[in-house]
Structures are given as structure tokens and as C-alpha cells.
Amino acid sequence: EWRRLYEAKIEPLIEQTNNAAYKQAHELLLKTRELMRRLGRDEEFDEYVELLHLEYKSKRNFIKLLDDME
């Protein structure tokens, strides 16, 4: 499944709890969003981002990056 691959790359970055890592995670998410759009799977990507929002809501700087994607 696509999500497991990206979770393995993105979520460890988020858990580093620093802005540089958040930026890297954000860049990977932007690339993933583009890929998922091309595949017509926008909804799946949006669900993943929503889960990230819920799981990492205490990481305000990361959440700001997620909000900028919308």
C-alpha cells in the first residue's frame, strides 16, 4: 500500500520535532499529493493528511505547514 511507504519516510521526520524535519516532511507530502492527484486518488491522500492532523496536532509548526497545503 502506498501509505505505508510514505509513513515510513514522513512520520519519522515529524517525530524529530524540529522545523527542518517538518519542512522535509512537508516537501514529501507535496510530492505525494501531486502523485496521488495524477492517479486520481486525491481522496485517499486527503484522508492521510487528516490523520496526520489528528495524530500530530500538538506539533503546531508542522500543523501550520499542513494547513498551508489546503
Side-chain angles (χ1 to χ4, degrees):
E1 179 182 319
W2 71 269
R3 206 159 96 193
R4 280 186 285 168
L5 293 171
Y6 285 95
E7 286 173 348
K9 295 272 188 190
I10 293 168
E11 295 185 27
L13 288 169
I14 300 166
E15 292 180 13
Q16 288 182 31
T17 312
N18 68 69
N19 289 335
Y22 294 161
K23 179 73 175 154
Q24 286 181 307
H26 179 251
E27 289 170 4
L28 283 172
L29 285 166
L30 291 173
K31 290 176 183 177
T32 306
R33 179 179 66 182
E34 181 60 32
L35 173 65
M36 297 303 284
R37 282 185 177 166
R38 288 183 193 173
L39 296 172
R41 296 169 73 178
D42 304 47
E43 191 173 307
E44 287 177 63
F45 178 77
D46 293 342
E47 289 171 6
Y48 178 56
V49 170
E50 190 171 321
L51 288 173
L52 290 175
H53 249 280
L54 293 172
E55 187 169 343
Y56 297 106
K57 63 184 170 193
S58 66
K59 298 182 183 296
R60 292 185 313 254
N61 290 341
F62 177 67
I63 296 301
K64 285 179 189 175
L65 292 173
L66 284 184
D67 289 345
D68 288 344
M69 290 178 58
E70 296 174 359

